[in-house]
């Protein structure tokens, strides 16, 4: 190349970047240029300019668009001495840097077979594997299926791997269904091989179109005493659906997985759910499989949901006060002048609070509580603002401030308890009893407030809580009794505060219920030993059958055998001292170690502790409205929607379990070394 009045200089050895294989460095007067060998464009060639702008030009240079410089640059960085082969075109990285490598035209063969494996250095490209990887990525992260049709995504994929055939969203949907089928078989196999029983929590979802959905999730403790959670179904309820049909939808889902005979407890997210649903589920199980019985099927309601329900009663009653507080905060936030004015008033009355005022999100009750709590810190400053600023129109009266203070104190207790209940997505049932008992005791105390406005609020809250307590107190107590750190002692401690003089009668009801449940497990264990029942089958029913001439014989046989064999597992467990409390205690590990000592009671503990006492994710704990399905998911066909939601849950759980097992292995290794 010749340029008038220009002198071409040889690239010095310090020009080590492979980019200079595409440029010629030219000096004109005291200025250095880099001339592109493809399009002849002049760029800065000064040593102070670096090479980034040259690399960027190469990516945009139209006359070298078919040349894969990215492979060349990556090969330079890896400092390989071997030849890089791509579709029959090779580049010897060992050639001298001073020699110019002419552009090589690489052509993409659109006729490459999908199942053909193409070698690229030491790696291999597999179309089918990449197709499934793409589908798995979409499932795991909740990406829309239509992303594969986006131009930006196609360009990105072609630049990364030109040989990958970007399929349509319909083909990706098929890949997602393929993954769903394989993962579903894994879950089905795990449930069928489970020796214990399964607890199912049932949640309702809604869409912006007001469609209603039902989610069923299995909770159980496996043979290694690990708490597992697997979503089973996510189905859309027919518009003609009624509460009477809900039990039929649930039992059909359970029969699809063949776990109806293993059912131990059903947990609903809403305390207002028809109480007859569980009875109908029992009846339908007995009709479909008369040789088995639902027996001791527990009916549980979500603890987190009842806390949110009673909070809503308080917030709704305080709606006008909350509206004024929200208006006050909005007024302060509307200008810097107002903010400075409030700060001045705060200094005058000696307020030095670290809390800052912030507007709430009305559908998140925790944010409303935090807004009111912060506003109470500035009560004195707001009072001065009311006196000196005529534009401030959201001022509260002294009575309203007192109401806000009292209710905020109640919300603080419920906020702390809700945080405990939502601290882990998968918790054993024993952690709920002390938290719920504390709510019960507080409600009793709050009812004593002499203010009629406050007492009316608390009465509504307590009425709703009592409905939950009457249904779930036995399940809560049974779980904590099976915690060796507490046993019956914790029940005695709380019941004496809740029931006073009638506490002993209530404690006896709990003890009788635990014994009855244990007796059912003992009978089932005897039948297994005799070969007349299978492990994991439903508990024997305590009800009589008119066609059974030997009704009650199994119970009689168990009772007489108990008298002959001596102390039962349950009696032995309860008579022994409680286990010392410590922060590192793991109840599942304790039962795993003590299973040989309490063979029957450990069967019962596995099922009781695996009962989901709360539904929903930790993120939904503070949400006042129903759980909502996004618009993209609600627009999908029912089959692919269920496949995406269920498979995402399974893959996420598998990833979490892998992380947990890796962390445990590392901890054990560190401890051993």
């Amino acid at each position: 190349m010749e340029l008038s009045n220009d002198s071409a200089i040889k690239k010095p050895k310090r020009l080590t970047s492979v980019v200079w294989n595409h440029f010629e460095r030219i000096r004109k007067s005291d200025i250095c240029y880099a001339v592109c060998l493809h399009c002849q464009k002049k760029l800065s060639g000064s040593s102070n300019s670096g090479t980034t702008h040259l690399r960027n030009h190469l990516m945009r240079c139209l006359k070298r668009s078919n040349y894969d410089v990215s492979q060349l640059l990556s090969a330079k960085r890896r400092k390989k001495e071997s030849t890089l082969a791509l579709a029959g075109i090779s580049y010897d990285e060992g050639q001298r840097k001073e020699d110019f490598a002419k552009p090589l035209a690489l052509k993409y063969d659109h006729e490459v077979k999908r199942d053909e494996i193409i070698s690229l250095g030491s790696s291999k490209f597999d179309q089918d594997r990449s197709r499934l990887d793409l589908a798995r990525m979409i499932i795991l992260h909740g990406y829309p299926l239509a992303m594969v049709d986006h131009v930006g995504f196609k360009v990105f994929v072609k630049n990364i791997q030109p040989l990958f055939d970007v399929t349509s969203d319909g083909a990706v949907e098929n890949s997602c269904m393929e993954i769903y089928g394989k993962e579903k078989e894994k879950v089905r196999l795990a449930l069928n091989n489970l020796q214990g029983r399964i607890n199912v929590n049932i949640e309702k979802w809604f869409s912006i179109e007001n469609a209603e959905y039902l989610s069923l999730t299995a909770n159980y403790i496996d043979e290694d005493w690990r708490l597992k959670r697997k979503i089973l179904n996510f189905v859309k309820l027919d518009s003609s659906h009624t509460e009477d049909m809900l039990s039929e939808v649930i039992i059909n889902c359970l029969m699809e997985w063949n776990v109806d005979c293993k059912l131990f407890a059903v947990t609903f997210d809403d305390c207002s759910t028809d109480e007859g649903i569980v009875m109908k589920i029992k009846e339908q199980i007995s009709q479909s499989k008369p040789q088995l019985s639902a027996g001791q099927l527990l009916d549980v309601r979500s603890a987190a949901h009842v806390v949110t329900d009673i909070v809503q009663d308080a917030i709704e009653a305080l709606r006008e006060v909350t509206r004024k507080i929200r208006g006050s905060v909005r007024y302060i936030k509307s200008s810097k002048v107002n903010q400075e004015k409030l700060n001045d008033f705060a200094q005058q009355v000696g307020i030095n609070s670290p809390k800052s005022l912030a507007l709430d999100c009305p559908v998140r009750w925790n944010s409303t509580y935090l807004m009111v709590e912060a506003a109470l810190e500035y009560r004195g400053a707001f009072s001065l603002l009311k006196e000196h600023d005529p534009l401030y129109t959201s001022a509260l009266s002294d009575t309203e401030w007192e109401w806000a203070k009292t209710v905020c104190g109640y919300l603080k207790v419920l906020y702390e308890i809700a945080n405990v209940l939502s601290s882990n997505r998968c918790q054993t049932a024993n952690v709920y009893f002390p938290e719920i008992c504390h709510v019960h005791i507080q409600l009793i105390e709050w009812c004593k407030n002499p203010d009629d406005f406050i007492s009316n609020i608390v009465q509504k809250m307590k009425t709703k809580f009592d409905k939950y307590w009457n249904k779930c107190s036995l399940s809560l107590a049974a779980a904590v009794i099976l915690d060796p750190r507490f046993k019956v002692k914790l029940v005695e401690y709380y019941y004496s505060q809740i029931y006073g003089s009638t506490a002993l009668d209530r404690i006896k009801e709990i003890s009788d219920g635990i014994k009855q449940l244990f007796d059912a497990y003992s009978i089932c264990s005897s039948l297994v030993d005799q070969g007349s029942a299978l492990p994991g089958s439903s508990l024997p029913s305590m009800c009589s059958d008119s066609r059974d001439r030997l009704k009650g014989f199994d119970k009689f046989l168990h009772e007489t055998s108990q008298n002959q064999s001596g102390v039962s597992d349950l009696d032995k467990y309860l008579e022994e001292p409680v286990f010392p409390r410590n922060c590192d205690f793991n109840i599942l590990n304790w039962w795993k170690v003590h299973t040989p000592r309490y063979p029957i009671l450990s069967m019962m503990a596995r099922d009781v502790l695996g009962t989901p006492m709360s539904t929903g994710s930790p993120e939904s704990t503070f949400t006042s409205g129903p759980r909502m399905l996004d618009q993209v998911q609600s627009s999908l066909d029912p089959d692919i929607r269920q496949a995406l939601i269920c498979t995402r849950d399974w893959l996420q759980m598998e990833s979490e379990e892998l992380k947990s097992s890796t962390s445990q292995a590392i901890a054990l290794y560190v401890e051993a070394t």
Side-chain angles (χ1 to χ4, degrees):
M1 179 184 301
E2 294 182 0
L3 295 174
S4 59
N5 299 326
D6 296 353
S7 59
I9 63 173
K10 184 179 179 180
K11 295 192 295 291
K13 291 185 178 181
R14 63 188 177 87
L15 300 179
T16 57
S17 174
V18 73
V19 172
W20 287 106
N21 288 323
H22 301 266
F23 291 89
E24 184 174 8
R25 198 178 188 202
I26 294 176
R27 183 183 300 277
K28 182 178 181 182
S29 298
D30 294 330
I31 301 176
C32 288
Y33 295 99
V35 180
C36 177
L37 295 172
H38 306 285
C39 65
Q40 308 301 314
K41 183 174 181 177
K42 288 185 180 181
L43 301 168
S44 173
S46 171
S47 58
N48 296 328
S49 301
T51 58
T52 300
H53 65 297
L54 303 181
R55 293 171 185 263
N56 293 337
H57 170 75
L58 286 177
M59 294 300 178
R60 296 190 298 267
C61 184
L62 298 178
K63 292 192 176 182
R64 51 131 325 263
S65 59
N66 289 329
Y67 184 67
D68 189 3
V69 71
S70 62
Q71 294 292 341
L72 184 63
L73 297 178
S74 63
K76 179 68 178 179
R77 286 193 299 269
R78 289 193 300 267
K79 298 182 179 180
K80 287 186 177 179
E81 295 180 355
S82 59
T83 299
L84 177 66
L86 178 60
I89 306 299
S90 63
Y91 167 70
D92 184 2
E93 193 189 14
Q95 63 184 314
R96 295 184 314 173
K97 295 184 180 67
E98 293 81 0
D99 296 337
F100 164 64
K102 294 183 179 180
L104 305 177
L106 304 187
K107 296 182 179 179
Y108 171 63
D109 185 4
H110 294 278
E111 302 301 322
V112 176
K113 294 182 179 179
R114 181 168 295 186
D115 58 349
E116 183 179 356
I117 298 178
I118 299 137
S119 297
L120 179 61
S122 59
S123 63
K124 294 181 179 180
F125 170 70
D126 186 332
Q127 173 69 26
D128 285 337
R129 184 186 64 188
S130 299
R131 170 180 58 83
L132 293 175
D133 285 344
L134 172 60
R136 191 172 287 106
M137 177 192 74
I138 289 174
I139 294 171
L140 189 59
H141 299 289
Y143 297 142
L145 296 173
M147 70 174 290
V148 297
D149 292 328
H150 297 170
V151 174
F153 177 76
K154 290 183 177 182
V155 171
F156 171 75
V157 170
K158 286 300 179 184
N159 286 335
I160 293 295
Q161 178 50 266
L163 299 171
F164 180 63
D165 180 16
V166 181
T167 55
S168 64
D169 59 344
V172 172
E173 182 177 311
N174 293 335
S175 299
C176 292
M177 293 300 295
E178 180 182 344
I179 295 173
Y180 169 67
K182 292 178 180 178
E183 295 298 325
K184 184 176 182 179
E185 283 307 308
K186 293 180 184 178
V187 177
R188 187 189 300 277
L189 184 63
L191 296 178
N192 288 340
N193 292 338
L194 185 67
Q195 294 298 307
R197 293 175 177 82
I198 292 171
N199 307 284
V200 174
N201 65 276
I202 299 168
E203 300 174 78
K204 282 188 178 180
W205 288 63
F206 296 86
S207 67
I208 57 175
E209 295 85 6
N210 209 28
E212 193 173 353
Y213 303 86
L214 204 65
S215 169
L216 276 74
T217 305
N219 298 260
Y220 60 92
I221 295 174
D222 64 13
E223 298 308 306
D224 290 326
W225 286 90
R226 295 174 299 183
L227 185 59
K228 296 295 185 70
R229 176 187 174 279
K230 303 285 185 182
I231 187 170
L232 301 181
N233 297 91
F234 194 93
V235 296
K236 183 178 181 181
L237 297 176
D238 190 84
S239 57
S240 60
H241 161 77
T242 62
E243 287 293 328
D244 293 336
M245 297 171 56
L246 186 58
S247 58
E248 184 177 348
V249 174
I250 294 171
I251 198 64
N252 287 340
C253 291
L254 296 175
M255 292 178 67
E256 175 192 348
W257 287 90
N258 195 31
V259 296
D260 48 320
C261 60
K262 292 186 175 184
L263 199 58
F264 176 75
V266 178
T267 303
F268 292 92
D269 59 349
D270 191 351
C271 291
S272 64
T273 303
D274 184 6
E275 296 183 4
I277 289 179
V278 174
M279 186 59 66
K280 292 176 183 177
I281 293 175
K282 289 182 181 181
E283 293 173 356
Q284 292 186 48
I285 291 177
S286 300
Q287 291 174 4
S288 61
K289 297 189 177 182
Q291 72 276 18
L292 299 169
S293 170
Q296 303 289 328
L297 183 62
L298 298 183
D299 180 9
V300 183
R301 302 302 157 95
S302 172
H305 195 279
V306 74
V307 170
T308 299
D309 267 3
I310 62 178
V311 164
Q312 290 308 309
D313 285 337
I315 290 180
E316 176 61 25
L318 208 67
R319 179 175 53 182
E320 183 61 24
V321 176
T322 305
R323 184 189 66 80
K324 288 185 177 182
I325 291 176
R326 192 177 291 119
S328 299
V329 174
R330 186 178 290 111
Y331 179 75
I332 295 302
K333 293 290 185 181
S334 64
S335 72
K336 190 174 181 180
V337 173
N338 292 342
Q339 181 69 62
E340 292 175 349
K341 192 183 299 183
L342 186 73
N343 290 338
D344 291 339
F345 290 146
Q347 290 180 3
Q348 291 180 31
V349 295
I351 297 174
N352 187 23
S353 175
K355 296 177 181 177
S356 58
L357 297 172
L359 284 171
D360 67 330
C361 174
V363 297
R364 301 278 298 176
W365 69 261
N366 57 329
S367 70
T368 302
Y369 154 68
L370 294 172
M371 178 187 72
V372 174
E373 184 185 48
L376 284 166
E377 296 280 339
Y378 293 90
R379 175 178 174 176
F382 277 118
S383 297
L384 288 178
L385 185 67
K386 175 184 176 182
E387 296 176 6
H388 296 87
D389 190 346
L391 298 178
Y392 173 50
T393 58
S394 299
L396 281 73
S397 66
D398 289 340
T399 301
E400 288 174 327
W401 276 117
E402 288 301 316
W403 287 345
K405 180 180 178 181
T406 301
V407 174
C408 189
Y410 299 165
L411 293 180
K412 180 179 181 180
V413 174
L414 299 174
Y415 173 73
E416 292 171 350
I417 289 174
N419 274 324
V420 174
L421 300 184
S422 63
S423 60
N424 193 329
R425 192 181 186 189
C426 225
Q427 296 190 108
T428 48
N430 58 300
V431 304
Y432 292 86
F433 180 79
E435 304 299 332
I436 297 301
C437 283
H438 187 64
V439 174
H440 199 167
I441 293 170
Q442 290 299 313
L443 285 169
I444 293 172
E445 290 298 317
W446 298 342
C447 284
K448 299 175 183 178
N449 193 299
D451 188 296
D452 290 339
F453 176 78
I454 298 297
S455 62
N456 287 336
I457 295 175
V458 179
Q459 284 296 338
K460 290 180 181 179
M461 296 166 67
K462 192 172 185 305
T463 299
K464 194 170 290 185
F465 178 84
D466 287 345
K467 182 179 180 181
Y468 164 82
W469 177 259
N470 292 335
K471 181 173 289 294
C472 301
S473 57
L474 176 59
S475 302
L476 292 165
V480 82
I481 287 173
L482 291 170
D483 188 328
R485 299 169 298 171
F486 305 119
K487 300 186 179 181
V488 182
K489 289 297 182 181
L490 194 64
V491 178
E492 294 173 351
Y493 169 75
Y494 277 114
Y495 273 34
S496 63
Q497 300 177 62
I498 294 172
Y499 294 110
S501 59
T502 62
L504 292 178
D505 295 334
R506 297 288 186 169
I507 294 170
K508 187 178 184 304
E509 290 176 4
I510 297 297
S511 298
D512 291 344
I514 296 294
K515 188 176 185 305
Q516 184 181 10
L517 184 60
F518 176 77
D519 288 345
Y521 273 86
S522 299
I523 295 172
C524 185
S525 177
S526 300
L527 294 176
V528 171
D529 293 339
Q530 297 166 13
S532 56
L534 295 175
S537 61
S538 290
L539 295 172
S541 175
M542 294 295 107
C543 62
S544 60
D545 186 347
S546 59
R547 295 171 297 176
D548 186 2
R549 301 303 177 188
L550 298 176
K551 58 184 177 180
F553 174 72
D554 290 332
K555 185 177 181 181
F556 168 77
L557 182 63
H558 162 69
E559 290 174 347
T560 54
S561 300
Q562 281 279 312
N563 293 332
Q564 296 172 3
S565 60
V567 181
S568 68
D569 278 8
L570 179 61
D571 294 334
K572 182 168 57 177
Y573 168 79
L574 294 177
E575 289 172 1
E576 293 175 349
V578 296
F579 191 82
R581 287 199 303 129
N582 61 76
C583 58
D584 296 329
F585 179 76
N586 186 314
I587 190 171
L588 296 183
N589 284 345
W590 191 94
W591 276 105
K592 181 179 181 180
V593 171
H594 289 81
T595 293
R597 182 171 175 79
Y598 311 108
I600 298 176
L601 188 61
S602 63
M603 294 166 49
M604 175 175 150
R606 177 185 284 123
D607 298 335
V608 172
L609 295 174
T611 303
M613 290 297 183
S614 194
T615 62
S617 63
E619 299 80 21
S620 65
T621 300
F622 299 101
T623 304
S624 56
R627 300 196 70 180
M628 299 296 294
L629 202 64
D630 64 52
Q631 192 168 9
V632 174
Q633 290 177 317
S634 61
S635 65
L636 297 171
D637 290 336
D639 289 343
I640 186 61
R641 177 172 52 240
Q642 176 171 257
L644 292 174
I645 292 175
C646 291
T647 311
R648 183 184 184 188
D649 177 83
W650 301 334
L651 293 179
Q652 285 180 337
M653 282 296 172
E654 184 178 315
S655 177
E656 290 175 9
E657 290 169 5
L658 180 61
K659 289 180 181 178
S660 176
S661 61
T662 302
S663 299
Q664 291 176 4
I666 293 174
L668 290 173
Y669 173 78
V670 171
E671 183 179 349
T673 54

